[in-house]
Amino acid sequence: MSERIVVLDFGGQYNQLITRRVREGGVFSELFQITAPKEKILGDRLDGIIFSGGPDSVYAENARTCPDWIFELNVPILGICYGMQYIAKCCGGKIEAQQIREYGRTNTTFAGHPLFEGMENGTVWMNHNDSVTVAPEGFEVIASTANCGIAAFANDEKRLYGIQFHAEVVHTDNGQRIFDNFLKNICHLKCDRSAAVVADTLIEDIRKQVGDGRVIAGLSGGVDSSVAAVLVHRAIGDRLTCIFVDHGLLRENEAQEVMECYKESLGLNIIAVDASERFLTKLRGVDDPEQKRKIIGTEFIRVFEEEAKKLGGGDYLLQGTIYPDVIESGSNGSAVIKSHHNVGGLPKDIGFKGLVEPLRMLFKDEVRLLGESLGIPEHLVWRQPFPGPGLAIRVMGEVTEEKLKILRHSDAVFRREVKNAGLERSLWQYFTVFTGIRSVGVMGDRRTYDYAIGVRAVTSTDAMSVDWAEIPFPVLKRISDCIIAEVPHVNRVVYDITSKPPGTVEWE
């Protein structure tokens, strides 16, 4: 039974980051809404709880609260920002709005407490209007700033701790050290979770779930489905059959490259299905992005069902669902950002006993480390993410062969120039978008009225938060020049400089 920390979401924008920091510290963590059932929070094991930040004032009429029994579980609780103020309120402290509010990097003085072991006075990231002005009885003040006398407190007897700042963001000096100290010094955990340990656990879980059954795997060519397939192959061997569906929404030459990689590098039993006409027919006339995703999710399942029957049947369907897919699709009470085809886009009547989703609780960076530990070739492990709906969500509006042709060609030129510039590993994801916008241009001394192509490149580690990539201007100029020169019906290139949030990586 692995060590486990639960993060309770009070509405903070950094809650997923908190979950990741705990995992980086070598302990499994899960993110739950404050309304989650007790049995979910307890799970098979519970070693500690972290309260996230949030937008509320603790004294507001509709301020977020958690059940009182949370404080009766006899596990350490760490409150961050609003989480600290909530602990203070529940324990009889005083919270007030401050005349001088703290935002951004703030110099902080730390006291000698195990939570801050090895920490020197330095900069933290503040983002608050209210502050704890009177600590609850029995609480020790263990950090302060010039404008916040109680920047952190601790009650070792009750095992309650709070920090007003956000240790989870990179702007806090040595923020990871604070999480490590909480896990080791406060929760007294071994923090021995590693990719190899995770692999062994997942393989055993797969064997328990599948039993003597057969599994059909839908492979997309991406790292998630590839790692999932290798895990299941390790668990049940030749009772896994992989199906690669060419839905007509792939990048240039992708189908051929993927098949060669799976057969030669991974030795998987794989069948290729050309269903491009089928998918494009279903998408005809559809311009709503959510509807496109759901259509593609449904058709994927139907193709798998049909192919499974040809193979004599399959008991389970394997999918490379990862944690960001689950969060963005609205699971566990989160808001629906967009329905991922393998979560919110699935039909209810799938023709299998169930889904096998071994990566469901992992972030993308964890999946890559897992892939490396399984011996999957580096070029496949570090391949840039590609969405399950493929180019359908990179074509704004209705998907047509003409639009796909323009998009594929521009994307191939963009990827070539990124490779030539040596930027492949420094970019998390990079692609072009068929915007559907037409504009006036001048080419060869003649007026043109052709399409604008969007160029998107981002940096990230987990896809939950991303920054637009600052590609050098000379490289951007060459990318634009090459796309316009080489791709017919394109006379304008625009570069997307939107981070996530407020945008998402994909345009649809």
Side-chain angles (χ1 to χ4, degrees):
M1 192 181 301
S2 62
E3 299 172 333
R4 177 173 171 268
I5 297 290
V6 163
V7 178
L8 288 184
D9 179 12
F10 281 83
Q13 60 180 312
Y14 303 129
N15 47 31
Q16 293 93 355
L17 277 179
I18 298 171
T19 308
R20 286 195 62 248
R21 293 290 176 252
V22 175
R23 295 190 186 191
E24 288 171 7
V27 176
F28 178 66
S29 64
E30 289 188 81
L31 175 66
F32 288 111
Q33 296 293 300
I34 52 177
T35 55
K38 187 174 184 178
E39 57 270 20
K40 274 197 169 185
I41 291 175
L42 289 174
D44 294 328
R45 172 173 176 168
L46 179 64
D47 294 291
I49 293 174
I50 298 178
F51 292 166
S52 80
D56 299 337
S57 171
V58 293
Y59 292 124
E61 183 178 352
N62 296 317
R64 292 170 175 84
T65 63
C66 67
D68 292 339
W69 52 258
I70 292 290
F71 292 96
E72 300 170 1
L73 297 177
N74 196 32
V75 297
I77 298 176
L78 172 65
I80 297 176
C81 196
Y82 177 88
M84 171 183 173
Q85 296 168 14
Y86 182 71
I87 291 174
K89 178 177 180 293
C90 291
C91 295
K94 187 175 182 180
I95 302 93
E96 295 178 290
Q98 297 299 288
Q99 288 185 343
I100 301 177
R101 301 169 180 178
E102 292 181 310
Y103 297 102
R105 290 182 172 88
T106 306
N107 291 328
T108 304
T109 301
F110 298 107
H113 187 274
L115 186 62
F116 300 133
E117 181 181 274
M119 299 281 293
E120 297 181 355
N121 297 340
T123 301
V124 302
W125 185 259
M126 288 287 194
N127 184 25
H128 66 106
N129 298 323
D130 297 346
S131 296
V132 178
T133 54
V134 178
E137 184 177 349
F139 281 70
E140 172 190 3
V141 177
I142 58 175
S144 61
T145 72
N147 298 307
C148 182
I150 307 176
F153 59 38
N155 186 320
D156 293 318
E157 182 180 351
K158 293 184 177 181
R159 307 176 83 184
L160 297 176
Y161 306 86
I163 56 175
Q164 183 57 64
F165 53 89
H166 291 277
E168 65 273 23
V169 301
V170 297
H171 312 296
T172 293
D173 294 341
N174 298 313
Q176 183 62 48
R177 183 66 180 266
I178 296 173
F179 286 100
D180 293 345
N181 287 338
F182 177 69
L183 299 173
K184 294 177 181 177
N185 298 342
I186 306 300
C187 299
H188 304 295
L189 301 178
K190 295 179 180 178
C191 303
D192 57 359
R193 185 174 185 263
S194 66
V197 170
V198 171
D200 291 340
T201 301
L202 293 177
I203 289 170
E204 185 58 33
D205 289 344
I206 292 165
R207 287 173 179 155
K208 288 179 181 178
Q209 178 185 0
V210 174
D212 296 328
R214 300 187 63 84
V215 177
I216 302 295
L219 298 188
S220 66
V223 61
D224 302 330
S225 62
S226 301
V227 172
V230 171
L231 277 171
V232 174
H233 189 256
R234 296 277 177 92
I236 66 172
D238 61 6
R239 286 186 284 121
L240 167 70
T241 301
C242 302
I243 299 173
F244 175 69
V245 178
D246 181 355
H247 51 17
L249 304 167
L250 300 173
R251 291 168 291 196
E252 197 168 87
N253 300 321
E254 187 160 23
Q256 180 181 347
E257 293 171 1
V258 167
M259 287 298 294
E260 290 175 354
C261 180
Y262 280 136
K263 284 187 174 180
E264 296 175 10
S265 299
L266 301 179
L268 297 175
N269 176 26
I270 183 166
I271 297 170
V273 180
D274 184 357
S276 54
E277 185 176 345
R278 171 177 181 164
F279 276 81
L280 293 177
T281 299
K282 289 283 186 178
L283 291 169
R284 191 171 296 150
V286 178
D287 58 11
D288 179 74
E290 275 292 284
Q291 188 65 19
K292 286 195 281 188
R293 286 175 176 272
K294 291 181 183 296
I295 288 172
I296 292 167
T298 298
E299 286 309 298
F300 263 122
I301 295 296
R302 297 302 172 236
V303 172
F304 294 145
E305 290 172 344
E306 294 166 12
E307 294 302 316
K309 288 180 181 178
K310 295 177 185 177
L311 296 168
D315 301 296
Y316 296 91
L317 173 65
L318 170 66
Q319 293 198 133
T321 309
I322 63 174
Y323 206 26
D325 299 339
V326 175
I327 294 172
E328 288 192 342
S329 295
S331 296
N332 285 341
S334 301
V336 178
I337 307 301
K338 52 189 176 185
S339 299
H340 289 261
H341 80 282
N342 51 353
V343 186
L346 286 175
K348 296 180 179 179
D349 56 331
I350 62 173
F352 297 90
K353 289 182 181 178
L355 301 175
V356 177
E357 298 177 302
L359 310 179
R360 187 179 179 86
M361 298 305 297
L362 301 183
F363 288 101
K364 178 70 76 172
D365 54 326
E366 294 178 299
V367 174
R368 294 194 195 279
L369 292 174
L370 181 60
E372 288 182 334
S373 75
L374 292 168
I376 298 176
E378 183 183 24
H379 72 274
L380 185 54
V381 170
W382 289 97
R383 189 179 186 195
Q384 68 155 310
F386 186 64
L391 300 182
I393 56 172
R394 293 178 183 173
V395 170
M396 302 298 99
E398 182 185 6
V399 179
T400 67
E401 288 282 12
E402 178 194 12
K403 295 176 183 178
L404 287 171
K405 184 177 179 180
I406 294 171
L407 180 58
R408 284 195 185 96
H409 196 169
S410 64
D411 187 73
V413 172
F414 181 32
R415 287 188 288 138
R416 181 194 70 203
E417 294 306 316
V418 166
K419 182 177 181 180
N420 290 343
L423 298 175
E424 284 179 295
R425 286 293 291 269
S426 64
L427 300 179
W428 168 264
Q429 201 166 353
Y430 49 96
F431 53 88
T432 60
V433 178
F434 185 90
T435 67
I437 298 170
R438 300 179 75 182
S439 66
V440 174
V442 179
M443 300 173 71
D445 295 327
R446 292 186 178 183
R447 177 188 186 274
T448 63
Y449 187 60
D450 272 323
Y451 293 107
I453 286 291
V455 171
R456 180 76 157 142
V458 298
T459 58
S460 181
T461 57
D462 56 14
M464 293 309 301
S465 60
V466 304
D467 289 322
W468 61 275
E470 296 185 34
I471 295 177
F473 284 126
V475 179
L476 278 177
K477 182 179 185 305
R478 178 161 179 80
I479 289 167
S480 176
D481 290 345
C482 288
I483 289 177
I484 291 174
E486 299 179 37
V487 184
H489 305 297
V490 174
N491 67 358
R492 192 178 298 272
V493 174
V494 295
Y495 188 45
D496 182 352
I497 56 171
T498 311
S499 295
K500 174 188 176 182
T504 57
V505 176
E506 302 290 344
W507 279 31
E508 289 194 341

